[in-house]
Amino acid sequence: MAERTTYLLVDGENIDATLGISILDRRPEPQERPRWNKVLDFAERTWQQPVKGLFFLAVSHELPASFVQALIAMGYRPVPLSGEGKVVDIAIQKTADALAARADDVMLVSHDRDFALQMQRLAQDGARRVGIVGFGEFMAGDLRDVDGIEFFDLEYDVAAFNSRLPRVRIIPIDEFDPFEFI
């Protein structure tokens, strides 16, 4: 039997927009962005199998060479896309549809409701693990409603940031630390 693989599908635009608009209220500085190597490591550690990271990005005219080289060095396969419409969403949807025919697991890094149908189809296969990584409080309700999906918080579960983000979230009482507030 062939070893299972986790396909990590990264919607970097969605994560960057959520971080900037909803959490920081400004464009994130480079040091405030997720450490994408930690996301790959988390996926591999969590499901204890090899990970193929696909990082989807919209590109207009010029390839962001330094960012693409950094992704490659971390172990991602960059997927630079151009064209009309939401090219990143379209490509992730097509990739998820293609993965439905394989016996591999899928972890999506996004909050976008546009992927709910694909994630639902993937999760219907009881032998496949399907996960969503993002900021829990900004996860689309359509994604949350999909049965059989595991949710991972980008900051708290994955530890993808080098410093604490200024988030307001619901805190389970077992995790409450008063020293964070006083």
Side-chain angles (χ1 to χ4, degrees), residues 63-104:
L63 190 68
S66 60
F67 183 61
V68 167
Q69 288 301 323
L71 289 172
I72 292 168
M74 284 182 255
Y76 281 94
R77 177 144 191 212
V79 184
L81 303 154
S82 68
E84 294 298 315
K86 297 167 77 173
V87 295
V88 167
D89 290 9
I90 294 166
I92 291 174
Q93 288 167 338
K94 287 182 173 184
T95 303
D97 288 341
L99 287 169
R102 300 177 74 148
D104 293 306

Side-chain angles (χ1 to χ4, degrees), residues 22-151:
S22 301
I23 296 174
L24 298 174
D25 199 27
R26 60 178 166 72
R27 183 179 174 95
E29 297 292 328
Q31 70 275 10
E32 295 173 315
R33 288 192 164 93
R35 305 296 85 174
W36 293 112
N37 58 319
K38 291 182 178 182
V39 179
L40 269 176
D41 293 344
F42 172 82
E44 189 170 358
R45 243 185 7 262
T46 301
W47 288 351
Q48 298 181 357
Q49 60 193 25
V51 175
K52 290 186 180 180
L54 303 177
F55 199 107
F56 298 84
L57 56 153
V59 178
S60 53
H61 300 292
E62 192 172 313
L63 190 68
S66 60
F67 183 61
V68 167
Q69 288 301 323
L71 289 172
I72 292 168
M74 284 182 255
Y76 281 94
R77 177 144 191 212
V79 184
L81 303 154
S82 68
E84 294 298 315
K86 297 167 77 173
V87 295
V88 167
D89 290 9
I90 294 166
I92 291 174
Q93 288 167 338
K94 287 182 173 184
T95 303
D97 288 341
L99 287 169
R102 300 177 74 148
D104 293 306
D105 300 322
V106 178
M107 207 178 272
L108 171 69
V109 184
S110 183
H111 306 95
D112 198 332
R113 69 185 303 266
D114 291 345
F115 307 121
L117 181 61
Q118 286 76 22
M119 295 299 105
Q120 183 175 24
R121 285 184 189 143
L122 290 167
Q124 286 174 345
D125 176 353
R128 178 193 322 274
R129 294 182 85 171
V130 179
I132 306 282
V133 178
F135 300 111
E137 65 272 27
F138 299 110
M139 194 62 59
D142 292 356
L143 288 173
R144 285 211 168 277
D145 292 341
V146 176
D147 289 332
I149 288 188
E150 297 176 55
F151 291 94

